[in-house]
Short mmCIF file of all heavy atoms in Angstrom, two decimals:
data_model
loop_
_atom_site.label_atom_id
_atom_site.label_comp_id
_atom_site.label_asym_id
_atom_site.label_seq_id
_atom_site.Cartn_x
_atom_site.Cartn_y
_atom_site.Cartn_z
N TYR A 313 33.65 -21.18 13.45
CA TYR A 313 34.29 -21.78 14.63
C TYR A 313 35.03 -20.72 15.45
O TYR A 313 35.05 -20.77 16.68
CB TYR A 313 35.21 -22.93 14.19
CG TYR A 313 34.44 -23.98 13.42
CD1 TYR A 313 34.52 -24.08 12.04
CD2 TYR A 313 33.57 -24.84 14.10
CE1 TYR A 313 33.78 -25.02 11.34
CE2 TYR A 313 32.81 -25.77 13.41
CZ TYR A 313 32.92 -25.86 12.02
OH TYR A 313 32.16 -26.77 11.34
N GLU A 314 35.61 -19.75 14.77
CA GLU A 314 36.28 -18.67 15.49
C GLU A 314 35.24 -17.75 16.14
O GLU A 314 35.44 -17.27 17.27
CB GLU A 314 37.19 -17.89 14.55
CG GLU A 314 38.39 -18.73 14.09
CD GLU A 314 39.42 -17.93 13.32
OE1 GLU A 314 39.09 -17.44 12.21
OE2 GLU A 314 40.55 -17.79 13.79
N ALA A 315 34.13 -17.53 15.44
CA ALA A 315 33.06 -16.69 15.99
C ALA A 315 32.52 -17.28 17.29
O ALA A 315 32.28 -16.57 18.27
CB ALA A 315 31.92 -16.56 14.97
N ARG A 316 32.36 -18.60 17.27
CA ARG A 316 31.81 -19.30 18.44
C ARG A 316 32.68 -19.08 19.69
O ARG A 316 32.17 -18.82 20.77
CB ARG A 316 31.74 -20.79 18.08
CG ARG A 316 31.08 -21.67 19.06
CD ARG A 316 30.86 -23.04 18.48
NE ARG A 316 32.09 -23.82 18.35
CZ ARG A 316 32.14 -25.07 17.90
NH1 ARG A 316 31.04 -25.67 17.48
NH2 ARG A 316 33.27 -25.73 17.83
N VAL A 317 34.00 -19.14 19.48
CA VAL A 317 34.93 -18.91 20.59
C VAL A 317 34.81 -17.47 21.09
O VAL A 317 34.71 -17.22 22.30
CB VAL A 317 36.39 -19.19 20.13
CG1 VAL A 317 37.39 -18.67 21.14
CG2 VAL A 317 36.59 -20.68 19.88
N CYS A 318 34.79 -16.53 20.14
CA CYS A 318 34.75 -15.10 20.52
C CYS A 318 33.44 -14.75 21.22
O CYS A 318 33.41 -13.95 22.15
CB CYS A 318 34.95 -14.22 19.28
SG CYS A 318 36.59 -14.39 18.56
N TYR A 319 32.35 -15.37 20.75
CA TYR A 319 31.04 -15.11 21.34
C TYR A 319 31.02 -15.59 22.80
O TYR A 319 30.57 -14.87 23.70
CB TYR A 319 29.95 -15.82 20.53
CG TYR A 319 28.55 -15.37 20.83
CD1 TYR A 319 28.07 -14.17 20.30
CD2 TYR A 319 27.70 -16.13 21.62
CE1 TYR A 319 26.78 -13.75 20.55
CE2 TYR A 319 26.40 -15.71 21.89
CZ TYR A 319 25.94 -14.52 21.35
OH TYR A 319 24.67 -14.10 21.61
N ALA A 320 31.52 -16.79 23.01
CA ALA A 320 31.54 -17.36 24.36
C ALA A 320 32.42 -16.51 25.29
O ALA A 320 32.10 -16.32 26.46
CB ALA A 320 32.06 -18.79 24.32
N ALA A 321 33.51 -15.98 24.73
CA ALA A 321 34.46 -15.23 25.56
C ALA A 321 34.10 -13.74 25.66
O ALA A 321 34.78 -13.00 26.35
CB ALA A 321 35.86 -15.39 24.99
N LYS A 322 33.05 -13.33 24.92
CA LYS A 322 32.71 -11.90 24.81
C LYS A 322 33.93 -11.08 24.37
O LYS A 322 34.21 -10.00 24.90
CB LYS A 322 32.15 -11.36 26.13
CG LYS A 322 30.81 -11.98 26.55
CD LYS A 322 30.23 -11.18 27.70
CE LYS A 322 29.00 -11.82 28.32
NZ LYS A 322 27.89 -12.09 27.38
N ALA A 323 34.66 -11.62 23.40
CA ALA A 323 35.87 -10.95 22.91
C ALA A 323 35.48 -9.76 22.03
O ALA A 323 34.41 -9.74 21.42
CB ALA A 323 36.71 -11.92 22.10
N VAL A 324 36.35 -8.76 21.97
CA VAL A 324 36.11 -7.59 21.13
C VAL A 324 36.70 -7.85 19.74
O VAL A 324 37.88 -8.15 19.61
CB VAL A 324 36.73 -6.32 21.77
CG1 VAL A 324 36.68 -5.15 20.81
CG2 VAL A 324 36.01 -5.99 23.06
N ALA A 325 35.85 -7.76 18.71
CA ALA A 325 36.28 -8.02 17.33
C ALA A 325 36.87 -6.75 16.71
O ALA A 325 36.86 -5.68 17.33
CB ALA A 325 35.11 -8.52 16.50
N MET A 326 37.36 -6.87 15.47
CA MET A 326 37.95 -5.73 14.78
C MET A 326 36.95 -4.58 14.60
O MET A 326 37.33 -3.43 14.53
CB MET A 326 38.46 -6.20 13.42
CG MET A 326 39.59 -5.39 12.89
SD MET A 326 40.36 -6.24 11.53
CE MET A 326 41.51 -7.25 12.36
N ALA A 327 35.65 -4.92 14.56
CA ALA A 327 34.61 -3.90 14.43
C ALA A 327 34.55 -3.01 15.67
O ALA A 327 33.89 -1.97 15.67
CB ALA A 327 33.26 -4.57 14.19
N GLY A 328 35.21 -3.40 16.75
CA GLY A 328 35.30 -2.55 17.93
C GLY A 328 34.33 -2.92 19.04
O GLY A 328 34.20 -2.18 20.02
N GLY A 329 33.64 -4.04 18.89
CA GLY A 329 32.71 -4.46 19.94
C GLY A 329 32.58 -5.97 19.98
O GLY A 329 33.24 -6.69 19.22
N GLN A 330 31.70 -6.44 20.87
CA GLN A 330 31.46 -7.89 20.96
C GLN A 330 30.53 -8.32 19.83
O GLN A 330 29.79 -7.50 19.28
CB GLN A 330 30.81 -8.20 22.31
CG GLN A 330 31.75 -7.95 23.48
CD GLN A 330 31.00 -7.84 24.79
OE1 GLN A 330 29.79 -8.08 24.87
NE2 GLN A 330 31.71 -7.45 25.83
N PRO A 331 30.53 -9.63 19.49
CA PRO A 331 29.69 -10.11 18.38
C PRO A 331 28.19 -9.93 18.66
O PRO A 331 27.73 -10.19 19.77
CB PRO A 331 30.03 -11.60 18.30
CG PRO A 331 31.30 -11.78 19.06
CD PRO A 331 31.38 -10.68 20.07
N THR A 332 27.45 -9.49 17.63
CA THR A 332 25.99 -9.41 17.72
C THR A 332 25.39 -10.77 17.35
O THR A 332 26.06 -11.59 16.71
CB THR A 332 25.45 -8.38 16.71
OG1 THR A 332 25.93 -8.76 15.42
CG2 THR A 332 25.92 -6.97 17.03
N MET A 333 24.11 -10.95 17.67
CA MET A 333 23.38 -12.14 17.22
C MET A 333 23.35 -12.21 15.71
O MET A 333 23.43 -13.28 15.11
CB MET A 333 21.92 -12.04 17.68
CG MET A 333 21.62 -12.66 19.00
SD MET A 333 19.85 -12.79 19.26
CE MET A 333 19.16 -11.35 18.51
N SER A 334 23.19 -11.03 15.08
CA SER A 334 23.09 -10.97 13.62
C SER A 334 24.36 -11.49 12.97
O SER A 334 24.31 -12.29 12.03
CB SER A 334 22.86 -9.53 13.17
OG SER A 334 21.98 -8.88 14.03
N ALA A 335 25.51 -11.04 13.47
CA ALA A 335 26.77 -11.49 12.90
C ALA A 335 26.96 -12.99 13.13
O ALA A 335 27.49 -13.70 12.27
CB ALA A 335 27.94 -10.71 13.49
N MET A 336 26.49 -13.49 14.28
CA MET A 336 26.58 -14.93 14.55
C MET A 336 25.73 -15.72 13.55
O MET A 336 26.12 -16.79 13.09
CB MET A 336 26.13 -15.24 15.98
CG MET A 336 27.08 -14.75 17.06
SD MET A 336 28.78 -15.33 16.89
CE MET A 336 28.57 -17.10 17.12
N ALA A 337 24.56 -15.17 13.21
CA ALA A 337 23.68 -15.85 12.25
C ALA A 337 24.35 -15.91 10.88
O ALA A 337 24.26 -16.92 10.16
CB ALA A 337 22.34 -15.13 12.16
N LEU A 338 25.04 -14.84 10.49
CA LEU A 338 25.74 -14.84 9.20
C LEU A 338 26.89 -15.85 9.21
O LEU A 338 27.12 -16.55 8.22
CB LEU A 338 26.28 -13.43 8.88
CG LEU A 338 25.22 -12.34 8.69
CD1 LEU A 338 25.89 -11.02 8.31
CD2 LEU A 338 24.20 -12.72 7.63
N ALA A 339 27.60 -15.94 10.34
CA ALA A 339 28.71 -16.90 10.44
C ALA A 339 28.19 -18.33 10.34
O ALA A 339 28.79 -19.19 9.69
CB ALA A 339 29.47 -16.68 11.75
N THR A 340 27.03 -18.58 10.95
CA THR A 340 26.44 -19.93 10.89
C THR A 340 26.00 -20.25 9.46
O THR A 340 26.25 -21.35 8.95
CB THR A 340 25.21 -20.00 11.84
OG1 THR A 340 25.64 -19.60 13.14
CG2 THR A 340 24.64 -21.40 11.90
N LEU A 341 25.39 -19.28 8.79
CA LEU A 341 24.97 -19.47 7.40
C LEU A 341 26.19 -19.73 6.50
O LEU A 341 26.14 -20.52 5.56
CB LEU A 341 24.19 -18.24 6.92
CG LEU A 341 23.70 -18.27 5.47
CD1 LEU A 341 22.74 -19.44 5.23
CD2 LEU A 341 23.01 -16.95 5.11
N CYS A 342 27.29 -19.05 6.81
CA CYS A 342 28.53 -19.22 6.06
C CYS A 342 28.96 -20.68 6.10
O CYS A 342 29.21 -21.30 5.06
CB CYS A 342 29.60 -18.31 6.68
SG CYS A 342 31.18 -18.35 5.83
N LYS A 343 29.03 -21.25 7.29
CA LYS A 343 29.44 -22.65 7.46
C LYS A 343 28.48 -23.60 6.73
O LYS A 343 28.91 -24.48 5.98
CB LYS A 343 29.46 -22.99 8.96
CG LYS A 343 29.57 -24.48 9.27
CD LYS A 343 29.53 -24.75 10.78
CE LYS A 343 28.20 -24.42 11.43
NZ LYS A 343 27.30 -25.52 11.66
N ASN A 344 27.17 -23.41 6.93
CA ASN A 344 26.20 -24.31 6.31
C ASN A 344 26.26 -24.24 4.78
O ASN A 344 26.12 -25.26 4.10
CB ASN A 344 24.78 -23.98 6.79
CG ASN A 344 24.63 -24.25 8.29
OD1 ASN A 344 25.45 -24.97 8.87
ND2 ASN A 344 23.61 -23.68 8.91
N THR A 345 26.48 -23.04 4.25
CA THR A 345 26.56 -22.87 2.80
C THR A 345 27.76 -23.64 2.24
O THR A 345 27.66 -24.32 1.21
CB THR A 345 26.67 -21.38 2.43
OG1 THR A 345 25.56 -20.70 3.00
CG2 THR A 345 26.70 -21.16 0.93
N LEU A 346 28.88 -23.55 2.94
CA LEU A 346 30.08 -24.28 2.48
C LEU A 346 29.82 -25.78 2.46
O LEU A 346 30.12 -26.45 1.48
CB LEU A 346 31.27 -23.97 3.38
CG LEU A 346 31.78 -22.53 3.37
CD1 LEU A 346 32.92 -22.38 4.37
CD2 LEU A 346 32.24 -22.12 1.98
N PHE A 347 29.28 -26.31 3.57
CA PHE A 347 29.06 -27.76 3.64
C PHE A 347 28.06 -28.22 2.57
O PHE A 347 28.21 -29.28 1.99
CB PHE A 347 28.56 -28.17 5.03
CG PHE A 347 29.65 -28.15 6.08
CD1 PHE A 347 29.38 -27.79 7.39
CD2 PHE A 347 30.96 -28.51 5.76
CE1 PHE A 347 30.38 -27.78 8.37
CE2 PHE A 347 31.97 -28.51 6.72
CZ PHE A 347 31.68 -28.14 8.03
N GLU A 348 27.03 -27.40 2.33
CA GLU A 348 25.99 -27.84 1.38
C GLU A 348 26.36 -27.58 -0.08
O GLU A 348 25.97 -28.33 -0.95
CB GLU A 348 24.67 -27.13 1.71
CG GLU A 348 24.00 -27.71 2.94
CD GLU A 348 22.93 -26.78 3.52
OE1 GLU A 348 22.38 -25.96 2.76
OE2 GLU A 348 22.68 -26.88 4.74
N ARG A 349 27.09 -26.50 -0.34
CA ARG A 349 27.32 -26.08 -1.72
C ARG A 349 28.78 -26.08 -2.16
O ARG A 349 29.08 -25.86 -3.33
CB ARG A 349 26.78 -24.66 -1.91
CG ARG A 349 25.32 -24.50 -1.60
CD ARG A 349 24.51 -25.25 -2.60
NE ARG A 349 23.09 -25.08 -2.35
CZ ARG A 349 22.16 -25.78 -2.95
NH1 ARG A 349 22.49 -26.70 -3.83
NH2 ARG A 349 20.90 -25.58 -2.68
N GLY A 350 29.69 -26.29 -1.20
CA GLY A 350 31.12 -26.13 -1.48
C GLY A 350 31.63 -27.02 -2.61
O GLY A 350 32.35 -26.56 -3.50
N TYR A 351 31.24 -28.29 -2.57
CA TYR A 351 31.78 -29.22 -3.57
C TYR A 351 31.23 -28.89 -4.97
O TYR A 351 31.97 -28.87 -5.95
CB TYR A 351 31.44 -30.67 -3.18
CG TYR A 351 32.08 -31.68 -4.09
CD1 TYR A 351 33.47 -31.68 -4.27
CD2 TYR A 351 31.32 -32.63 -4.78
CE1 TYR A 351 34.08 -32.62 -5.11
CE2 TYR A 351 31.92 -33.55 -5.63
CZ TYR A 351 33.30 -33.54 -5.79
OH TYR A 351 33.89 -34.45 -6.63
N ALA A 352 29.94 -28.58 -5.04
CA ALA A 352 29.35 -28.21 -6.34
C ALA A 352 29.98 -26.92 -6.86
O ALA A 352 30.20 -26.76 -8.07
CB ALA A 352 27.84 -28.04 -6.20
N ALA A 353 30.31 -26.02 -5.95
CA ALA A 353 30.95 -24.76 -6.36
C ALA A 353 32.34 -25.02 -6.92
O ALA A 353 32.76 -24.42 -7.90
CB ALA A 353 31.03 -23.80 -5.17
N LYS A 354 33.07 -25.93 -6.27
CA LYS A 354 34.41 -26.29 -6.76
C LYS A 354 34.31 -26.86 -8.18
O LYS A 354 35.07 -26.47 -9.08
CB LYS A 354 35.06 -27.31 -5.82
CG LYS A 354 36.44 -27.76 -6.26
CD LYS A 354 36.68 -29.19 -5.82
CE LYS A 354 37.93 -29.85 -6.35
NZ LYS A 354 38.27 -29.73 -7.72
N LEU A 355 33.36 -27.78 -8.38
CA LEU A 355 33.19 -28.38 -9.71
C LEU A 355 32.79 -27.32 -10.74
O LEU A 355 33.23 -27.34 -11.89
CB LEU A 355 32.15 -29.51 -9.68
CG LEU A 355 32.49 -30.71 -8.79
CD1 LEU A 355 31.37 -31.74 -8.83
CD2 LEU A 355 33.82 -31.36 -9.20
N SER A 356 31.95 -26.37 -10.31
CA SER A 356 31.54 -25.28 -11.21
C SER A 356 32.75 -24.46 -11.63
O SER A 356 32.90 -24.09 -12.79
CB SER A 356 30.54 -24.35 -10.52
OG SER A 356 29.42 -25.08 -10.10
N SER A 357 33.63 -24.20 -10.66
CA SER A 357 34.83 -23.41 -10.95
C SER A 357 35.73 -24.17 -11.92
O SER A 357 36.29 -23.58 -12.85
CB SER A 357 35.57 -23.09 -9.65
OG SER A 357 36.76 -22.40 -9.93
N ASP A 358 35.84 -25.49 -11.71
CA ASP A 358 36.64 -26.31 -12.64
C ASP A 358 36.12 -26.15 -14.07
O ASP A 358 36.89 -26.15 -15.03
CB ASP A 358 36.55 -27.80 -12.26
CG ASP A 358 37.37 -28.12 -11.02
OD1 ASP A 358 38.27 -27.34 -10.67
OD2 ASP A 358 37.09 -29.18 -10.39
N ALA A 359 34.80 -26.03 -14.20
CA ALA A 359 34.17 -25.92 -15.53
C ALA A 359 33.95 -24.46 -15.94
O ALA A 359 33.35 -24.20 -16.98
CB ALA A 359 32.85 -26.67 -15.52
N ASN A 360 34.44 -23.53 -15.13
CA ASN A 360 34.27 -22.07 -15.38
C ASN A 360 32.80 -21.67 -15.55
O ASN A 360 32.45 -20.87 -16.42
CB ASN A 360 35.07 -21.63 -16.61
CG ASN A 360 36.55 -21.96 -16.49
OD1 ASN A 360 37.11 -22.61 -17.33
ND2 ASN A 360 37.16 -21.53 -15.40
N ILE A 361 31.95 -22.25 -14.70
CA ILE A 361 30.51 -21.95 -14.75
C ILE A 361 30.08 -21.23 -13.46
O ILE A 361 30.34 -21.73 -12.36
CB ILE A 361 29.66 -23.24 -14.83
CG1 ILE A 361 30.05 -24.07 -16.05
CG2 ILE A 361 28.17 -22.92 -14.88
CD1 ILE A 361 29.54 -25.49 -15.94
N ALA A 362 29.40 -20.10 -13.59
CA ALA A 362 28.87 -19.40 -12.41
C ALA A 362 27.48 -19.96 -12.09
O ALA A 362 26.46 -19.30 -12.26
CB ALA A 362 28.81 -17.90 -12.66
N SER A 363 27.45 -21.22 -11.61
CA SER A 363 26.18 -21.87 -11.26
C SER A 363 25.60 -21.23 -10.00
O SER A 363 26.28 -20.43 -9.34
CB SER A 363 26.43 -23.36 -11.00
OG SER A 363 27.28 -23.48 -9.86
N GLU A 364 24.38 -21.65 -9.61
CA GLU A 364 23.78 -21.13 -8.37
C GLU A 364 24.64 -21.51 -7.17
O GLU A 364 24.85 -20.69 -6.26
CB GLU A 364 22.36 -21.67 -8.18
CG GLU A 364 21.25 -20.76 -8.67
CD GLU A 364 21.40 -19.28 -8.30
OE1 GLU A 364 21.50 -18.96 -7.10
OE2 GLU A 364 21.41 -18.44 -9.22
N ALA A 365 25.14 -22.75 -7.15
CA ALA A 365 26.00 -23.19 -6.04
C ALA A 365 27.26 -22.32 -5.98
O ALA A 365 27.71 -21.92 -4.90
CB ALA A 365 26.37 -24.65 -6.20
N PHE A 366 27.81 -22.02 -7.14
CA PHE A 366 29.00 -21.17 -7.21
C PHE A 366 28.69 -19.79 -6.65
O PHE A 366 29.44 -19.24 -5.84
CB PHE A 366 29.47 -21.08 -8.67
CG PHE A 366 30.70 -20.24 -8.86
CD1 PHE A 366 31.97 -20.76 -8.68
CD2 PHE A 366 30.58 -18.90 -9.22
CE1 PHE A 366 33.10 -19.97 -8.83
CE2 PHE A 366 31.71 -18.10 -9.38
CZ PHE A 366 32.98 -18.64 -9.19
N GLU A 367 27.55 -19.23 -7.07
CA GLU A 367 27.13 -17.90 -6.59
C GLU A 367 27.02 -17.89 -5.06
O GLU A 367 27.44 -16.95 -4.39
CB GLU A 367 25.76 -17.52 -7.18
CG GLU A 367 25.76 -17.26 -8.68
CD GLU A 367 26.05 -15.81 -9.05
OE1 GLU A 367 26.15 -14.97 -8.13
OE2 GLU A 367 26.18 -15.54 -10.26
N GLU A 368 26.43 -18.96 -4.52
CA GLU A 368 26.22 -19.02 -3.07
C GLU A 368 27.55 -19.07 -2.32
O GLU A 368 27.72 -18.44 -1.27
CB GLU A 368 25.33 -20.22 -2.71
CG GLU A 368 23.89 -20.00 -3.14
CD GLU A 368 22.99 -21.21 -2.98
OE1 GLU A 368 23.42 -22.22 -2.40
OE2 GLU A 368 21.84 -21.15 -3.45
N VAL A 369 28.51 -19.82 -2.88
CA VAL A 369 29.81 -19.93 -2.21
C VAL A 369 30.63 -18.64 -2.36
O VAL A 369 31.33 -18.25 -1.42
CB VAL A 369 30.57 -21.18 -2.71
CG1 VAL A 369 32.04 -21.15 -2.32
CG2 VAL A 369 29.90 -22.44 -2.13
#
Side-chain angles (χ1 to χ4, degrees):
Y313 302 104
E314 292 188 295
R316 186 169 73 178
V317 167
C318 294
Y319 194 78
K322 296 191 188 303
V324 172
M326 207 166 273
Q330 293 162 7
T332 55
M333 268 193 325
S334 320
M336 290 305 295
L338 296 183
T340 306
L341 179 61
C342 182
K343 167 182 66 99
N344 295 343
T345 304
L346 295 177
F347 285 145
E348 285 163 25
R349 302 293 182 190
Y351 186 56
K354 179 211 172 314
L355 297 179
S356 302
S357 176
D358 286 341
N360 304 125
I361 302 164
S363 64
E364 264 316 303
F366 181 84
E367 292 271 355
E368 289 173 7
V369 166

